[in-house]
Amino acid sequence: MSTYIFILGKDRNLSLAELHARYPNGKFDGDGDFEILEIDQKIDQSEFNHLGGVIKVGELVAIVNRNNLSNELTQQLIAHHSGSKLNYGISVYGWSEKNLRSLLLDMKRNLKKEGVSSRFINQQFKNVSTAQYKGLKGKGIELLVAVHGDDFLIAKVIAVQDIDSYSERDFEKPFRDMRVGMLPPKLAQIMINLAGDSKTIWDPFCGGGVLVMEGLLMGRNMLGSDINPETFEGAKKNVDWLGKDADLFLHDATQPLKGKKFDAIVCEGYLGPPQTRLQSPDRLKPLLQELDELYVGFFNALVEINFKGSIVIALPFFRCIGNQELDLKSTIEKIEKMGFVLNPKILKYARHDQVVGRAIYRFQYR
Ligand SMILES: C[S@@+](CC[C@H](N)C(=O)[O-])C[C@H]1O[C@@H](n2cnc3c(N)ncnc32)[C@H](O)[C@@H]1O
């Protein structure tokens, strides 16, 4: 059994939902910006690369009280030290970063007393960034201090978010269509994890194929379809660029899909035309009507093919004039009436300046 401390991303609810879905047998506890997971499974960088909602993870090495903190940190650093100069970083969570200055200066003094020449990489006595950790990896060590009640948990960082790989997948793929909202790869990973450990996933609104690509990288078999031949060709190019294979085809999602096998559906549906300005709820009515027809049609087609697996779908919500928010509430009610059971925890994702956000719904046929 090992205990890990995950540092959560800025959308805390999404990060937590993802961790709980990916590790259903884990024991969880947490506080603010971190989550503790006890599990009989090894978590390393390649496992961590399949999580979209977390920033770094450390393996627990000690639990101490405040009085023993400096001493224990010193001992941990010495124990992990090899080579001549000890390069290290310390980051604190659940505790003000203001505490870092005296902690780091304490460590420096303690290490000197022990005859260890050292250098800390924290800049301006702030937490270590993921980019800084990359420079340290293999040459030094980062320790996390997470304060949980009266306990000071010390963990050794074992993996961090691979930001370069995300931006390569996001910005360097051959087909990018700015007219349709492109799903950030991290959100695609979170959605795939929310669907549990399904082996074959269908994205019926695949657009340029972000979900299909992320699913392939996570070792799933992927089916992707779209009604639009141009985006469909784009998805094919993107999957080729990745050097992987998926079953991609043209299909109208409101029609029953026959002759294909899959055990989960994960998708970002059509969000409507791009919107840059806040609208009044009245002006959005025709769009809501159009989306209602599309999604009622889609779920009806799933009933027709007797689909019983899990469905994770991102649908739009609209920020309107007068601080109001409009979502597809009445459409969701219709879907529930068809027999799809909705997980009551709806997860929302939107940048602060976005007019159209994504609400992630999780359904299971009863
Ligand atoms: C928001 S985009 C999906 C973007 C995709 N997740 C990505 O990151 O590239 C929605 C897609 O739904 C497709 N679409 C709209 N109506 C459809 C329908 N009836 N059947 C299948 N696809 C449809 C559009 O062509 C569009 O590509």
Side-chain angles (χ1 to χ4, degrees), residues 93-262:
Y93 296 93
W95 208 32
S96 165
E97 272 181 82
K98 285 191 187 132
N99 293 297
L100 265 174
R101 175 186 287 270
S102 66
L103 202 57
L104 284 161
L105 296 176
D106 261 7
M107 310 305 323
K108 185 106 195 138
R109 237 185 339 262
N110 289 350
L111 289 165
K112 199 170 172 196
K113 249 195 245 159
E114 301 279 344
V116 178
S117 133
S118 69
R119 184 182 75 92
F120 59 80
I121 61 155
N122 297 69
Q123 277 171 10
Q124 292 165 344
F125 300 104
K126 294 247 172 0
N127 277 352
V128 177
S129 67
T130 46
Q132 281 176 295
Y133 176 80
K134 263 187 123 173
L136 189 67
K137 208 172 175 182
K139 292 181 246 152
I141 173 176
E142 179 187 351
L143 293 177
L144 304 180
V145 176
V147 182
H148 187 44
D150 292 333
D151 289 335
F152 285 68
L153 280 59
I154 302 176
K156 181 188 175 209
V157 174
I158 46 178
V160 301
Q161 206 167 60
D162 188 349
I163 24 185
D164 297 337
S165 170
Y166 282 116
S167 30
E168 189 184 344
R169 266 131 71 193
D170 206 2
F171 298 108
E172 287 178 28
K173 58 179 183 267
F175 177 79
R176 301 185 88 237
D177 186 350
M178 300 305 283
R179 288 164 304 168
V180 295
M182 269 181 301
L183 198 65
K186 287 182 205 168
L187 186 56
Q189 288 184 314
I190 294 175
M191 290 176 65
I192 290 165
N193 281 323
L194 290 176
D197 62 355
S198 38
K199 293 205 167 25
T200 305
I201 298 175
W202 175 35
D203 177 354
F205 299 92
C206 77
V210 173
L211 265 158
V212 173
M213 292 164 75
E214 293 305 320
L216 292 171
L217 290 171
M218 289 166 78
R220 314 298 172 92
N221 300 316
M222 295 301 297
L223 277 67
S225 55
D226 202 282
I227 200 168
N228 180 336
E230 194 191 327
T231 29
F232 162 72
E233 287 303 324
K236 282 214 294 210
K237 278 194 193 135
N238 285 344
V239 169
D240 277 353
W241 173 78
L242 205 62
K244 304 247 176 210
D245 260 332
D247 183 359
L248 298 172
F249 49 95
L250 276 170
H251 176 74
D252 176 353
T254 61
Q255 299 303 309
L257 180 66
K258 304 252 166 79
K260 302 267 182 194
K261 281 213 161 68
F262 49 93

